[in-house]
Amino acid sequence: MTPVGRDDVDDLPLLYSDPVVTYWTGPWTRAGVEAWAADMAAGWTADGVGKWMARARSDGSLVGRGGFTRFDLAGEIVLELGWAVRDARTGRGYATELGRAALDWAVTHHADLPIVAFTEVHNRASRAVMERLGMRPAGIIRRDGLVEVHLWVVTPALRYPARDASHPDGITHQEPNVGTQVPDPDHAERRPIAVEDSRC
């Protein structure tokens, strides 16, 4: 995996043009992809965190993208875990592999930040991935005119499992050179996010 940057604007439209990916992430324009890639590059530079492009070890073909977005959730800075896998690659465990790789990375680089994930209530595939990652539901976010969204969190006592290197077409992983400090591993536990207002 490599950090998303401006050089990925030719590959990202391949991902976002897949029908199932488009259904969940919405239609993308070239300008939108370029702006998103620029934001991801800026996030890596400013915050030392962002999303990666994932490619198959065997031939370097695009698998998808995954990783984190750092933002303020109800007054608390969190890392939102997310992923998108090309339609032709779904059902092979790539989303779970992306999620586990991201969680492993976060323990080393941002152990002080809580991790959350969001999915629409009817997205059973994403919910299944979150369950496999050891996350748990923590509430429902409701906004007028929008589909209800589940909020999931990493549980405080979770010890992240080692990534499965036996995958027949596993994803390559490259540590981003972002100059982040490595926190004390004794403080690598996660704490849940309190969801007091489900309308937020």
Side-chain angles (χ1 to χ4, degrees), residues 175-188:
E175 289 289 340
N177 183 18
V178 294
T180 54
Q181 293 183 342
V182 178
D184 183 347
D186 291 337
H187 298 284

Side-chain angles (χ1 to χ4, degrees), residues 12-19 21-22 86:
L12 284 166
L14 296 175
L15 172 67
Y16 292 128
S17 65
D18 281 350
V21 175
T22 299
R86 296 208 65 186

Side-chain angles (χ1 to χ4, degrees), residues 123-196:
N123 191 339
R124 295 181 179 178
S126 269
R127 288 164 53 191
V129 171
M130 293 172 190
E131 289 172 357
R132 285 194 291 271
L133 293 175
M135 304 186 82
R136 64 176 179 82
I140 296 178
I141 298 173
R142 298 182 177 92
R143 298 192 183 196
D144 291 342
L146 297 177
V147 175
E148 290 184 349
V149 173
H150 273 157
L151 168 66
W152 290 62
V153 298
V154 173
T155 57
L158 177 65
R159 296 300 184 188
Y160 306 125
R163 289 160 53 206
D164 184 3
S166 64
H167 195 287
D169 193 20
I171 299 170
T172 57
H173 179 73
Q174 174 180 318
E175 289 289 340
N177 183 18
V178 294
T180 54
Q181 293 183 342
V182 178
D184 183 347
D186 291 337
H187 298 284
E189 293 188 350
R190 300 289 172 178
R191 50 199 174 84
I193 298 293
V195 183
E196 299 177 354

Side-chain angles (χ1 to χ4, degrees), residues 4 16 23 25 28 32-33 37 43 47 49 64 69 96 111 114 116 125 132 134 145 151 161 165-166 171 175 180:
V4 171
Y16 292 128
Y23 176 81
T25 67
W28 287 76
V33 168
D47 302 320
V49 68
T69 301
T96 303
V116 304
R132 285 194 291 271
L151 168 66
S166 64
I171 299 170
E175 289 289 340
T180 54

